[in-house]
Amino acid sequence: MTKEELRSKYLPIGGYFFFIAFGLVVFFIAAFLVVFVRTKSSTMVVMPDVVGKPYNEVHNELMRLQLKVRLESKRYPDKTDGIIIYQSIRPGREVEAGSKVSLTVNIGLDRIDMPNLKGQSLVSAKNSMEKVLSGETYVSLTLGGITYVEVKEGEQPDTIVDQIPEAGKNITAGEKVFLLVTKPSTKKKEGEPQAGLEFKPGDSFAFAQRALVRAKISSKAEVVVTKFRPDNGKIESVQKVGNEYKFKVFYFEPEDRVESGYESFVYEAPENGTYSLIVKDQNDETKQIEISAPTTYQEGEKIQTVFYRTGDVTLVLLDDKGSKVKSKDYENEF
């Protein structure tokens, strides 16, 4: 067989094997590079020591480290409610971002479903709060404050109109309850002036506003950010200037928006005018609550408030003609 015949017979086969070998080399090089790049690009983070700390204080830090948190709960009455008592990854260990960590959080307080007090007399409501079932035992709820409002047509005096927390909400026995109550029936002497509205630090600002709306009295608020959760929604200070009330109100920024809780609103008045605020239920447009009486603001002045939200709602800022100036949605994140 001549050289030309050998070349024509075996060269295509050699080219075929060469092509396969070259392809395998390229494949292994590419696979090595992928593994190398992925290994180099994986971010390592150091697991912090979170045992003994309240979960709500470390939540944002764990999210920043991109750790996937799995929460469990246990009840130790002798330990502080809400603190972390176990972490699955030891402190100081380096792990990849995105790693899963299990945390056990203590439920140290009795938990109950908030009873419905609306429509009850104040005496009856107080009795109901003295004995609330938690599991197999009875606990008592603490009254945080009472805000009185004028009796409207169809309402009974000395009766609960609204409550915070709302009926059915799962709360701890240590949470304070605030009540909006119609004034008791009293006979006034002829010429005796009507009792004014009185508010004090620690009262519920949400209910103070509701009382002022009923009385058609204007008010302004300044939001004061607090790191102390129990102060949320409470009046820090109040003064009456002429016929207008001025409040400073505590607000605790929540880590997550759950089904209900306090929210804040701040917006600059676009021009001189009179403005009011209402809150609408997103699932039922017929349900809306006025949370501020018409109040005069100067252009650029901040219109501020803190209110209690139940479910998904929309806050609407209205001008003196009832037209929408600004609206903002507040919704459950879960």
Side-chain angles (χ1 to χ4, degrees):
M1 186 176 292
T2 65
K3 290 183 178 181
E4 290 298 328
E5 290 176 332
L6 286 172
R7 188 179 294 111
S8 62
K9 181 177 181 179
Y10 292 107
L11 187 59
I13 297 175
Y16 177 78
F17 282 110
F18 176 80
F19 178 80
I20 293 177
F22 180 78
L24 288 173
V25 171
V26 171
F27 171 81
F28 284 115
I29 290 175
F32 172 80
L33 289 175
V34 168
V35 172
F36 178 78
V37 170
R38 285 186 176 180
T39 304
K40 292 290 287 183
S41 63
S42 61
T43 303
M44 303 299 290
V45 297
V46 177
M47 180 68 200
D49 186 359
V50 297
V51 172
K53 298 178 181 179
Y55 175 68
N56 57 25
E57 290 185 5
V58 302
H59 170 81
N60 289 340
E61 173 67 9
L62 297 176
M63 294 302 101
R64 185 185 67 79
L65 296 174
Q66 300 178 42
L67 295 174
K68 296 178 181 178
V69 180
R70 179 175 177 270
L71 289 179
E72 297 177 348
S73 61
K74 287 189 177 181
R75 186 174 187 272
Y76 295 94
D78 58 330
K79 296 182 182 292
T80 305
D81 184 63
I83 66 165
I84 298 168
I85 54 180
Y86 169 78
Q87 62 185 80
S88 62
I89 301 176
R90 63 175 174 77
R93 178 183 171 186
E94 277 197 344
V95 295
E96 287 188 14
S99 297
K100 294 180 181 179
V101 56
S102 295
L103 302 178
T104 302
V105 180
N106 184 44
I107 301 177
L109 297 175
D110 294 293
R111 301 198 73 87
I112 60 172
D113 290 330
M114 180 67 201
N116 187 4
L117 305 176
K118 290 183 185 180
Q120 296 187 34
S121 68
L122 182 57
V123 172
S124 176
K126 285 182 176 179
N127 289 336
S128 298
M129 290 170 57
E130 285 295 322
K131 197 174 182 181
V132 183
L133 189 62
S134 173
E136 298 179 354
T137 61
Y138 285 94
V139 297
S140 60
L141 292 172
T142 303
L143 183 61
I146 299 172
T147 302
Y148 286 97
V149 293
E150 296 294 337
V151 182
K152 281 187 175 182
E153 186 177 350
E155 294 177 342
Q156 296 296 319
D158 205 34
T159 302
I160 311 301
V161 178
D162 206 349
Q163 63 185 72
I164 297 175
E166 72 277 14
K169 182 176 182 180
N170 188 259
I171 63 172
T172 67
E175 190 164 347
K176 292 185 178 180
V177 178
F178 293 86
L179 301 174
L180 189 66
V181 184
T182 54
K183 289 184 177 180
S185 180
T186 55
K187 292 183 179 180
K188 294 189 297 182
K189 297 179 181 178
E190 188 176 347
E192 182 181 356
Q194 183 172 314
L197 296 171
E198 295 184 0
F199 310 106
K200 63 183 184 299
D203 283 350
S204 165
F205 175 67
F207 283 165
Q209 276 195 310
R210 295 273 294 278
L212 291 169
V213 167
R214 284 197 176 210
K216 298 180 179 178
I217 297 174
S218 62
S219 64
K220 292 181 179 179
E222 178 185 340
V223 177
V224 179
V225 177
T226 178
K227 293 184 178 179
F228 190 50
R229 186 188 294 271
D231 279 342
N232 204 8
K234 293 181 182 178
I235 297 171
E236 189 256 14
S237 63
V238 56
Q239 61 176 327
K240 188 177 182 183
V241 181
N243 294 322
E244 186 175 86
Y245 285 83
K246 293 189 176 183
F247 296 91
K248 287 187 177 181
V249 189
F250 287 120
Y251 177 63
F252 180 91
E253 180 70 32
E255 296 84 10
D256 302 301
R257 257 79 182 173
V258 290
E259 189 174 352
S260 62
Y262 289 98
E263 301 284 3
S264 70
F265 174 80
V266 180
Y267 185 72
E268 288 188 1
E271 58 185 14
N272 296 348
T274 302
Y275 301 89
S276 58
L277 292 163
I278 63 172
V279 173
K280 293 183 176 182
D281 188 321
Q282 291 184 11
N283 299 315
D284 187 350
E285 293 185 357
T286 64
K287 293 182 180 179
Q288 63 179 47
I289 300 173
E290 293 180 73
I291 63 169
S292 76
T295 303
T296 301
Y297 290 88
Q298 301 298 312
E299 181 180 350
E301 186 178 358
K302 289 184 178 179
I303 301 171
Q304 305 181 60
T305 194
V306 173
F307 67 99
Y308 189 82
R309 171 182 64 81
T310 302
D312 297 338
V313 302
T314 300
L315 182 143
V316 184
L317 176 66
L318 303 173
D319 62 17
D320 56 356
K321 297 177 182 177
S323 299
K324 183 179 76 172
V325 177
K326 175 70 175 178
S327 67
K328 183 176 179 180
D329 293 333
Y330 297 85
E331 299 173 342
N332 179 12
E333 293 180 347
F334 297 95

